């Protein structure tokens, strides 16, 4: 069973009642969400709200304690080989082969996919033209982050999960990355964006899931969240809905 | 509208790219090349002249009977016990394996590529030592070439297996290097790396001969002379391989 049919109308991602505990600590208590094809879907919450664990379960990196995930109609763990062809993931704090250069790493990751994006296009998408021959370990934190994003896009994925897209990037690089994300949306790619940054969420996301203590507090458009909380800004809406201050990183 | 998603595994080109990348990692890790390649060469060059003059059996000198088996074992042991575990620990710690787990390549692919590269590295160390011994010091090839190859292969398996134990118990990349170095020098010292096992107290010499380093040296030496390889040494290498693989399988963590 090497191939699957996926309908054009069904959701890109369906997560139902996800639950995950590490030892005695419950990281994700009960998370359900649906992401429509072509949508930019934000996952917003404080540190420890369960954002990363949620997307790691969606990506098939962690097995849910309870609940189920469907990605383009596939099970990320059982249909691993198929899902890897259509899903691009940027992990938080992931490291790459330190002694390899930007070009070499892009070449390596391109070799994993049947129809990869051209190397030049990837370098240009994340603005690393000047760093092609620089080793990964010599890149700045922001440059490493940008390369990591480029590698998530190598295989022309239909769904992309970006965990902390612009954390650690300077304002210019951040805006450039936003333009890149909008370009992907225009290509019809579905994007899940884990974020701390309100400005980013407001500008990019069609809808947002607000997570608090491992649970979904609300799923709404950014404007809908503001209206629902009866506040002026998304920042205030976040505080009103979760009772917590969002530490805006970067 | 519907589309078909094909589940495709990375092909030959991907494997070659990966092996090439792993090779670059090894070559650029200059410090990691010193012990496996330069240290054995140094010992060879320092002792070859005098050893080449001492006839031990027939036309064979101490160079073939003692020095070369020792030097070739050092190449294997240092790569298997020091280098391989430190790379594994680094990959595990840094999240490289985890990053690859979300691509069509599997972490296992990286490990296989790593093994291929490290075997190539061992062959380079072997070829370098042999070239110097044959060209500069007129060493003779093993009388029983088949046995020498078989022993070398088995010794390689045993050293990698010991390295897998190191990789399994080491919590950090740093400690992997430390544990690897200590293991390498302990096995080496007991196996005659510092001036021959005859200089050791008898109990230690007997133990050393039954540990993988000493056993590999003794078995290679026997193959060089063309005499029968002692079963004790083969069993020792076999046991080390099995124990290493089983321990690693029980203790090794990917993350």
């Amino acid at each position: 069973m090497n191939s699957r049919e996926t309908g054009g109308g069904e959701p890109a991602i369906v997560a139902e009642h996800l639950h995950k505990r590490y030892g005695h600590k419950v990281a994700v208590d009960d998370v359900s969400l649906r992401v429509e094809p072509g949508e930019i879907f934000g996952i917003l919450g404080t540190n420890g709200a369960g954002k990363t664990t949620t997307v790691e379960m969606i990506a098939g990196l962690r097995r849910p304690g309870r609940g189920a995930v469907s990605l383009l109609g596939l099970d990320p763990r059982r249909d691993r080989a198929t899902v890897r062809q259509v899903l691009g993931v940027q992990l938080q704090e992931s490291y790459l082969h330190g002694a390899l250069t930007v070009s070499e790493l892009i070449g390596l990751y391109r070799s994993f996919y049947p129809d990869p994006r051209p190397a030049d296009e990837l370098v240009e998408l994340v603005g690393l033209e000047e760093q092609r021959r620089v080793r990964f370990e010599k890149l700045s934190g922001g440059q490493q982050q940008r390369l990591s994003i480029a590698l998530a896009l190598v295989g022309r994925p239909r769904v992309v999960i970006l965990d902390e897209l612009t954390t650690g990037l300077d304002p210019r690089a951040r805006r450039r990355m936003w333009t890149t994300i909008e370009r992907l949306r225009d290509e019809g790619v579905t994007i899940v964006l884990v974020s701390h940054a309100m400005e980013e969420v407001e500008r990019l996301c069609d809808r947002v899931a607000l997570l608090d203590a491992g649970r979904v507090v609300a799923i709404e458009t950014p404007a809908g969240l503001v209206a629902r909380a009866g506040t002026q800004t998304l920042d205030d809406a976040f505080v009103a809905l979760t009772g917590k201050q969002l530490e805006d990183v970067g | 509208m519907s589309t078909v998603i094909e589940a495709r595994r990375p092909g030959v080109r991907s494997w070659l790219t990966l092996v090439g990348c792993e090779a670059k990692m090894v070559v650029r890790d200059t410090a990691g090349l010193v012990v496996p390649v330069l240290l054995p060469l140094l010992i060879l060059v320092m002792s070859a002249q005098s050893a080449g003059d001492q006839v031990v059996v027939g036309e064979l000198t101490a160079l073939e009977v003692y020095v070369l088996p020792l030097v070739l074992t050092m190449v294997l042991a240092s790569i298997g016990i020091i280098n391989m575990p430190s790379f594994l620990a680094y990959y595990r710690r840094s999240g490289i394996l985890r990053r690859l787990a979300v691509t069509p390549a599997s972490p296992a692919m990286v490990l296989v590529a790593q093994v291929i590269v490290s075997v190539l590295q061992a062959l380079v160390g072997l070829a370098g030592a042999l070239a110097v011994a044959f060209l500069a010091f007129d060493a003779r090839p093993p009388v029983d070439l088949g046995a020498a190859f078989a022993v070398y292969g088995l010794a390689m398996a045993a050293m990698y297996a010991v390295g897998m134990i190191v990789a399994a118990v080491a919590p950090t990349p740093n400690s992997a290097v430390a544990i690897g170095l200590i293991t390498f020098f302990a096995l080496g010292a007991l196996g005659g790396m510092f001036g021959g096992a005859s200089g050791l107290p008898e109990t230690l010499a007997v133990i050393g001969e039954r540990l993988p380093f000493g056993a590999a040296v003794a078995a290679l030496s026997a193959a060089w002379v063309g005499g029968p390889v002692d079963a004790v040494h083969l069993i020792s290498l076999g046991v080390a391989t099995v124990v290493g693989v089983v321990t690693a399988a029980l203790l090794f963590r990917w993350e």
Side-chain angles (χ1 to χ4, degrees), chain A residues 172-248:
Chain A
R172 222 189 57 177
R174 184 185 265 202
R175 276 170 208 292
R176 175 161 196 161
M177 213 46 72
W178 291 348
T179 313
T180 301
I181 299 304
E182 283 162 347
R183 249 170 86 178
L184 289 174
R185 169 172 42 201
D186 295 343
E187 291 174 18
V189 178
T190 307
I191 297 161
V192 176
L193 200 67
V194 175
S195 188
H196 269 99
M198 287 299 173
E199 196 191 349
E200 178 170 299
V201 168
E202 264 180 317
R203 166 155 173 186
L204 293 176
C205 295
D206 298 308
R207 288 188 307 143
V208 184
L210 207 62
L211 258 58
D212 185 38
R215 288 173 167 274
V216 175
V217 177
I219 297 184
E220 274 283 4
T221 61
L225 279 179
V226 173
R228 180 165 151 181
T231 54
Q232 294 292 316
T233 66
L234 192 55
D235 265 307
D236 294 339
F238 183 89
V239 177
L241 291 169
T242 65
K244 287 175 186 158
Q245 200 71 39
L246 190 71
E247 64 279 40
D248 194 346

Side-chain angles (χ1 to χ4, degrees), chain A residues 2-6 8 56 80 82 84-85 89 95-99 104 108-109 111-114 135 158, chain B residues 1-8 13-14 18 22 24 28 90-91 94 96 98-102 104-105:
Chain A
N2 277 332
S3 59
R4 293 295 175 89
E5 293 274 332
T6 56
E56 284 178 346
R80 182 184 176 278
T82 319
R84 295 295 168 249
Q85 297 293 334
V89 183
Y95 199 73
L96 303 164
H97 289 78
E104 287 166 347
L108 176 62
Y109 280 69
S111 79
F112 298 152
Y113 298 89
R135 291 187 188 186
R158 286 163 52 182
Chain B
M1 191 190 89
S2 72
T3 45
V4 176
I5 307 166
E6 293 280 339
R8 291 181 54 167
R13 202 176 64 80
S14 186
L18 192 51
E22 293 300 325
K24 283 175 192 157
R28 289 172 190 174
Y90 165 70
Y91 281 7
S94 61
I96 288 176
R98 204 169 137 70
R99 179 64 187 79
L100 284 162
V102 290

